[in-house]
């Protein structure tokens, strides 16, 4: 079978689109930033490897996804 796109590349692209659609901003390959409350004066960013729903109102840096 001759595919036009590599399946791993397609999966990575779909994951990036999904992340961006829920507010994650791409910073580079495998790194996304979510600003839960960007208007706050003091910003604390939590660095994680796996996000979960409890982080909805937090500023989170997702690395290695």
């Amino acid at each position: 079978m001759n595919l036009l796109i590599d399946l791993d590349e397609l999966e990575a692209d779909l994951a990036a689109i999904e992340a961006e659609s829920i507010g994650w901003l791409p910073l580079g390959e495998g790194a996304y930033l979510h600003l839960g409350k960007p208007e706050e004066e003091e910003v604390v960013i939590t660095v994680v490897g796996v996000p979960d729903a409890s982080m909805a109102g937090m500023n989170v840096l997702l690395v290695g996804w």
Side-chain angles (χ1 to χ4, degrees), residues 1-63:
M1 177 187 278
N2 191 6
L3 300 176
L4 297 176
I5 188 170
D6 178 67
L7 292 180
D8 291 333
E9 184 180 334
L10 177 61
E11 188 175 303
D13 286 346
L14 290 175
I17 291 168
E18 181 181 355
E20 291 172 34
S21 73
I22 57 173
W24 290 89
L25 307 170
L27 298 178
E29 187 175 332
Y32 291 85
L33 177 66
H34 183 269
L35 294 175
K37 298 179 182 174
E39 67 283 346
E40 289 186 2
E41 280 187 32
E42 183 178 326
V43 176
V44 175
I45 298 176
T46 303
V47 179
V48 299
V50 179
D52 65 55
S54 69
M55 299 175 178
M58 298 171 62
N59 300 312
V60 180
L61 176 61
L62 173 61
V63 180

